[in-house]
Amino acid sequence: MCFHSSRMHVVCLSCRAAWKKTTAARGPGRCPQCRAELIDAGADLAVPKRRDNAGWRALEAVLRAGLTFHGGCCGTGPGYRPRTPREVRERLTLADRTGLPVQRALAVTDPTITDRYGPTARSPRRPRPHG
């Protein structure tokens, strides 16, 4: 059975705060603390603790690149998202090296698996020895 939440996370990056709003509410709105524009991050967001500086830096990079945590039906959720600044840097390096769009590079599970077929391709099979 599929489950789709009617409550979405909205995030204020400057306050490091997140709230849940229903999808019926009009737009993400403004932060009640600093009046900055809130970002609609989706229902599947795992909000870092307020004191987790690294987690918030990674979340900011992901959200500013346009990736969100909107789930799908039957396990087709948002996919991989980096959780640390190191993971973000690795994927940005991949984007620079391969010319991959930043948004797509941030969603790559393993940035070390790249070849001429692209970052989502599996490594080619080794030829079998004749014998």
Side-chain angles (χ1 to χ4, degrees), residues 88-101:
V88 170
R89 279 192 306 273
E90 289 171 348
R91 282 143 186 87
L92 292 177
T93 301
L94 172 70
D96 287 343
R97 194 175 63 231
T98 62
L100 197 65

Side-chain angles (χ1 to χ4, degrees), residues 55-77:
W56 277 97
R57 284 196 316 265
L59 179 62
E60 181 174 4
V62 167
L63 292 175
R64 297 241 187 254
L67 292 174
T68 60
F69 297 84
H70 293 280
C73 183
C74 301
T76 61

Side-chain angles (χ1 to χ4, degrees), residues 2-117:
C2 295
F3 172 75
H4 184 66
S5 177
S6 63
R7 294 169 33 117
M8 301 293 160
H9 280 97
V10 289
V11 177
C12 177
L13 295 172
S14 59
C15 293
R16 292 186 177 177
W19 297 270
K20 286 189 176 182
K21 292 179 93 175
T22 60
T23 54
R26 296 173 90 193
R30 297 209 169 266
C31 175
Q33 297 169 7
C34 70
R35 304 301 300 158
E37 188 74 26
L38 293 173
I39 298 171
D40 179 9
D44 295 336
L45 171 66
V47 181
K49 295 187 185 269
R50 193 169 289 185
R51 65 181 179 270
D52 181 7
N53 293 329
W56 277 97
R57 284 196 316 265
L59 179 62
E60 181 174 4
V62 167
L63 292 175
R64 297 241 187 254
L67 292 174
T68 60
F69 297 84
H70 293 280
C73 183
C74 301
T76 61
Y80 175 81
R81 300 293 185 260
R83 291 185 178 252
T84 64
R86 179 182 178 185
E87 291 175 349
V88 170
R89 279 192 306 273
E90 289 171 348
R91 282 143 186 87
L92 292 177
T93 301
L94 172 70
D96 287 343
R97 194 175 63 231
T98 62
L100 197 65
V102 172
Q103 186 175 14
R104 197 156 155 225
L106 284 171
V108 169
T109 305
D110 186 0
T112 61
I113 301 177
T114 58
D115 60 11
R116 62 188 175 135
Y117 302 108

